[in-house]
Amino acid sequence: MKGKATSFDIAHLAGVSQSTVSRALRNSPLVKPETIEKVQRIARELNYKVDKHASSLRSQQSATLALLLFEDPTTDDSLINPFFLSMLGSITRACARQGFDLLVSFQQLSDDWHADYEDSHKADGIILLGYGDDVDYQPKLQQLDRQGTRYVRWGPLSEGSGLSVGCDNRQGGQDATEHLIRLNRRRIAFIGNASHHYPEFFARYQGYVRALMEAGLSVEPALQQDAITTEQAGYDAVEALLQRGTRFDALFAASDLIAVGAMQALQAHGLRVPEDVAVMGFDDIPVARFASPPLSTVRQDTKLAGEQLVESLVRQIRGEPVRSTTIPTRLIARKSCGEG
Amino acid sequence: MKGKATSFDIAHLAGVSQSTVSRALRNSPLVKPETIEKVQRIARELNYKVDKHASSLRSQQSATLALLLFEDPTTDDSLINPFFLSMLGSITRACARQGFDLLVSFQQLSDDWHADYEDSHKADGIILLGYGDDVDYQPKLQQLDRQGTRYVRWGPLSEGSGLSVGCDNRQGGQDATEHLIRLNRRRIAFIGNASHHYPEFFARYQGYVRALMEAGLSVEPALQQDAITTEQAGYDAVEALLQRGTRFDALFAASDLIAVGAMQALQAHGLRVPEDVAVMGFDDIPVARFASPPLSTVRQDTKLAGEQLVESLVRQIRGEPVRSTTIPTRLIARKSCGEG
DNA sequence: CTGAAAGCGCTTACAG
DNA sequence: CTGAAAGCGCTTACAG
């Protein structure tokens, strides 16, 4: 036997037809148990594996999911948001459990990926993870919808368009802000883009606003400062706040990466965390625990998130009913807000 | 036209044969330029993509690489070593640049993955990344060798077996230790498994030993303490050192994760870093910068590493000559060793 | 419960 | 430069 064994080789050795081999390998109830056993034994001995391409071509499904991580073109090329990295871990494991392979790709928003994965039959469905301007992103989603591509997106429920799994950003933002208020902070700045271009950040901002209002505090536009999810943006945002003379005794950053940069800027200006300014982040990336001081934050459960993403997509592929879901967040109090 | 377009559809519309379409889509020099242009225009209009399975089945290559991350079964299920995560980022980008898709899988050492990926033609080659007992791992590599599977491994040069890309662990360990000696530390503990079961750690240990000897310092067995790559193991190792009354004024941890856990244990015992004990890590994971105090470490260039892994593997697949390579490390001095 | 046959959508000798 | 034909290795009606 030269080269890899095929189902014909096994058929020959087992004294059955190739069709029977194919059925036996997939444990078809149509095949006599002893035939199944014999075929599988021979397959094992020959170290035979079903050819993925042949079976996918014939059955028109690949048992593969594609994970597309799209990034803001402005993001540093080498740095991937740690939050997504931990999501990736959980998605990978969930795929394995469901018997799917996972193709991973990082994309720039500008690339022409949207047509590729399903059209070329590389994957049965796509998981979209990313950050960047949602308004720029919508046309891509619409194209996927038009093409009937099966996908699930990590993020907010989109109006009318595809399936999504996201966390309760508004509630998380409200919890974070209420925590700061409870610790007697009254002038709480919000750092992060607060517009429909960044719906997740915007939802966190809305939670922030609601908490302020319920506490009878006023919402001051001067206390909001734009930032995308990078340390640098967090640093710059604090400088901007300081430069324009805005006073604040607490700071709610729309992500941990922003918060970490913000703390550095505060400390560079001689402000103490939490004594002068309490700081709250969002995500609970691994670095949060190690920041100085350790960063209070709103944890997104990446393990559950990854599982839900995969499960939703697989169900969609199987034609089962699916709905977008929202998973709860959890406040993690650490030293950066004072008396954890 | 219902369903996806095929090359026959394009052939029909372009008024040429299907063979010509296939050639034109791959820019074959055999095809007249204007035919190429016409075919490609029509393909674009139809949103046609070559079916991956059909082309792979026929050409017997999949333009896909598999990344297998294998872990110590003892490792916490949810936590992936951040070092490998950043490697993953760089591998993903390198694959995209080379025109390969990337399948990602996390494996337990006990799983039967080794036969799967190439045998089933899912991937043209495999990138192996991982930690765990090298001795347990060798049989898997030998099986890959026997099967003629193309793979490249991140790690030390194995005797006789496959291709590898690794960093210069011995030199890195020596640099780290010399740095501590230069800062007047004399009793330097080494935390990490120092045996052929963990060859990378062992090489770091050998660098440590060499630096001590070149400085005329003695190598004390009591100063070495086993630990695998987890925070917990680092914490426990320091407790063990302390408990047995070993005195030390510096500590070289075989990885940053170990170092971070070790610093926590030191601080829990009222020891100051770096005043009482200077601490040095290895890897330069993102957390290192944020540790308190910021952790001195030996940086492994994950960007270069990922590129080299992919390039070596792709060359091997193409039948080009390849050699195992070693990439240099770089000492990053931060506060945990004193006067960075 | 099993087999003979068709066909998934390409690539690639082979022939012109 | 182009076309007709074979075939990659399976799965799955269809017939028994």
Side-chain angles (χ1 to χ4, degrees):
Chain A
M1 198 101 38
K2 64 252 190 132
K4 309 263 176 186
T6 71
S7 53
F8 282 95
D9 298 324
I10 296 176
H12 185 70
L13 289 170
V16 296
S17 74
Q18 181 270 341
S19 334
T20 299
V21 169
S22 176
R23 292 192 190 97
L25 289 172
R26 282 169 303 115
N27 291 305
S28 162
L30 290 174
V31 182
K32 196 161 52 174
E34 52 217 80
T35 311
I36 291 190
E37 204 177 322
K38 190 208 275 179
V39 166
Q40 295 194 351
R41 180 176 49 72
I42 294 174
R44 226 175 299 119
E45 285 166 11
L46 261 55
N47 214 344
Y48 168 82
K49 303 287 168 195
V50 174
D51 184 289
K52 178 89 181 282
H53 302 299
S55 74
S56 296
L57 175 58
R58 179 54 231 250
S59 63
Q60 299 289 34
Q61 49 192 8
S62 60
T64 302
L65 265 31
L67 171 62
L68 259 38
L69 222 168
F70 53 94
E71 308 172 277
D72 231 334
T74 55
T75 310
D76 176 0
D77 181 60
S78 62
L79 192 77
I80 304 159
N81 188 326
F83 173 71
F84 291 110
L85 245 23
S86 83
M87 203 82 123
L88 170 71
S90 139
I91 289 172
T92 303
R93 293 184 212 276
C95 278
R97 267 195 300 278
Q98 298 263 7
F100 278 74
D101 287 319
L102 183 69
L103 277 169
V104 173
S105 180
F106 297 165
Q107 302 291 340
Q108 300 291 332
L109 211 41
S110 51
D111 292 342
D112 185 43
W113 52 268
H114 44 286
D116 199 34
Y117 284 82
E118 220 200 33
D119 283 359
S120 64
H121 290 259
K122 286 176 184 173
D124 297 331
I126 303 178
I127 298 173
L128 300 170
L129 259 186
Y131 35 111
D133 189 322
D134 190 65
V135 173
D136 291 349
Y137 195 52
Q138 285 301 328
K140 303 271 185 181
L141 293 183
Q142 284 159 15
Q143 178 165 0
L144 292 178
D145 288 334
R146 263 199 314 278
Q147 293 175 188
T149 298
R150 283 154 304 191
Y151 70 91
V152 58
R153 182 185 182 198
W154 171 255
L157 294 97
S158 315
E159 347 61 60
S161 74
L163 196 63
S164 73
V165 173
C167 83
D168 193 342
N169 289 297
R170 204 200 46 67
Q171 185 65 48
Q174 184 167 348
D175 293 346
T177 310
E178 284 172 357
H179 182 72
L180 291 166
I181 294 170
R182 217 162 26 238
L183 294 168
N184 290 315
R185 306 292 169 154
R186 289 297 173 267
R187 298 195 50 80
I188 303 170
F190 180 90
I191 303 191
N193 295 50
S195 80
H196 66 295
H197 288 262
Y198 294 82
E200 293 176 272
F201 281 12
F202 194 40
R204 293 169 198 176
Y205 178 72
Q206 289 172 315
Y208 155 88
V209 167
R210 183 186 292 210
L212 291 181
M213 289 177 41
E214 289 185 356
L217 297 171
S218 66
V219 178
E220 287 186 36
L223 283 170
Q224 187 274 330
Q225 177 65 40
D226 280 351
I228 60 169
T229 278
T230 64
E231 271 181 69
Q232 189 60 51
Y235 196 100
D236 295 346
V238 166
E239 299 247 286
L241 282 172
L242 257 24
Q243 212 146 20
R244 79 164 94 106
T246 310
R247 287 184 315 105
F248 52 95
D249 55 14
L251 196 155
F252 173 30
S255 79
D256 285 350
L257 237 32
I258 292 175
V260 161
M263 289 208 288
Q264 285 165 354
L266 290 171
Q267 287 160 352
H269 284 271
L271 293 165
R272 294 164 306 162
V273 179
E275 293 82 349
D276 300 320
V277 180
V279 176
M280 171 72 73
F282 206 106
D283 286 344
D284 199 21
I285 61 177
V287 158
R289 272 167 61 217
F290 295 103
S292 332
L295 180 65
S296 294
T297 189
V298 178
R299 178 179 295 168
Q300 306 200 65
D301 186 341
T302 53
K303 184 155 187 292
L304 183 59
E307 285 163 2
Q308 296 253 345
L309 284 166
V310 170
E311 197 188 309
S312 305
L313 184 52
V314 168
R315 295 183 64 138
Q316 191 184 172
I317 288 167
R318 296 208 181 110
E320 296 167 19
V322 276
R323 288 213 323 241
S324 291
T325 49
T326 298
I327 63 184
T329 57
R330 187 169 136 221
L331 188 79
I332 306 290
R334 299 202 181 93
K335 297 231 177 84
S336 68
C337 288
E339 51 176 281
Chain B
M1 198 101 37
K2 63 251 188 132
K4 308 263 176 185
T6 71
S7 53
F8 282 94
D9 299 324
I10 297 175
H12 185 70
L13 288 170
V16 296
S17 74
Q18 181 269 343
S19 336
T20 298
V21 169
S22 175
R23 292 191 190 97
L25 289 172
R26 281 167 306 116
N27 291 305
S28 162
L30 290 174
V31 181
K32 196 161 55 175
E34 52 217 80
T35 311
I36 291 190
E37 204 176 324
K38 190 208 275 179
V39 167
Q40 295 194 351
R41 180 176 48 70
I42 294 173
R44 226 174 300 119
E45 285 166 11
L46 261 55
N47 214 343
Y48 169 83
K49 302 287 168 194
V50 174
D51 184 289
K52 179 87 182 284
H53 301 299
S55 74
S56 297
L57 175 58
R58 179 56 230 251
S59 63
Q60 299 288 37
Q61 49 191 10
S62 60
T64 301
L65 265 31
L67 172 61
L68 258 38
L69 223 168
F70 53 94
E71 308 171 276
D72 233 334
T74 56
T75 310
D76 175 1
D77 180 62
S78 63
L79 190 77
I80 303 159
N81 188 324
F83 173 71
F84 291 110
L85 245 22
S86 85
M87 204 82 122
L88 170 71
S90 139
I91 289 172
T92 304
R93 293 185 212 275
C95 277
R97 267 196 301 277
Q98 299 263 9
F100 278 74
D101 287 319
L102 183 69
L103 277 170
V104 172
S105 180
F106 297 165
Q107 303 290 341
Q108 299 292 331
L109 211 40
S110 52
D111 292 344
D112 184 45
W113 53 266
H114 44 284
D116 199 35
Y117 284 82
E118 219 200 34
D119 284 359
S120 63
H121 290 252
K122 285 177 184 173
D124 296 332
I126 303 179
I127 298 174
L128 299 171
L129 259 187
Y131 37 110
D133 190 321
D134 189 65
V135 172
D136 291 349
Y137 195 53
Q138 286 301 329
K140 303 271 186 182
L141 293 183
Q142 284 158 15
Q143 177 166 2
L144 292 179
D145 287 334
R146 263 198 316 278
Q147 292 176 190
T149 298
R150 283 156 303 194
Y151 71 91
V152 58
R153 182 187 181 196
W154 171 254
L157 294 97
S158 315
E159 347 64 61
S161 75
L163 196 63
S164 74
V165 173
C167 83
D168 193 341
N169 290 296
R170 206 201 45 67
Q171 186 64 50
Q174 185 167 348
D175 292 347
T177 312
E178 283 172 357
H179 182 72
L180 291 167
I181 294 171
R182 218 164 23 239
L183 294 169
N184 291 316
R185 306 292 169 154
R186 290 296 173 267
R187 299 194 49 81
I188 303 170
F190 179 90
I191 302 190
N193 294 50
S195 80
H196 67 294
H197 287 262
Y198 294 82
E200 295 177 271
F201 282 12
F202 195 40
R204 293 169 199 175
Y205 178 72
Q206 289 171 316
Y208 156 86
V209 167
R210 183 186 291 212
L212 291 182
M213 289 176 42
E214 289 185 357
L217 297 171
S218 65
V219 178
E220 287 185 38
L223 283 170
Q224 188 273 330
Q225 177 66 40
D226 280 353
I228 60 167
T229 277
T230 64
E231 270 180 72
Q232 188 61 49
Y235 195 101
D236 295 345
V238 165
E239 299 246 287
L241 282 172
L242 257 23
Q243 211 146 19
R244 79 163 94 105
T246 310
R247 288 184 314 104
F248 52 94
D249 56 13
L251 195 154
F252 173 30
S255 80
D256 285 351
L257 237 31
I258 293 175
V260 161
M263 288 208 289
Q264 285 165 352
L266 291 170
Q267 288 160 351
H269 285 270
L271 293 165
R272 294 164 306 161
V273 179
E275 294 82 350
D276 301 319
V277 181
V279 177
M280 171 73 71
F282 205 106
D283 287 345
D284 199 22
I285 60 177
V287 158
R289 271 167 61 217
F290 295 103
S292 337
L295 181 65
S296 295
T297 189
V298 178
R299 178 180 295 167
Q300 306 200 66
D301 186 341
T302 53
K303 185 154 186 293
L304 184 58
E307 285 164 1
Q308 295 252 346
L309 284 166
V310 171
E311 197 188 309
S312 305
L313 184 53
V314 168
R315 295 183 64 138
Q316 191 185 171
I317 289 167
R318 295 206 182 112
E320 296 167 19
V322 275
R323 286 212 325 241
S324 291
T325 50
T326 298
I327 62 183
T329 57
R330 188 169 135 221
L331 188 80
I332 307 291
R334 299 203 180 94
K335 297 231 177 84
S336 68
C337 289
E339 49 176 284

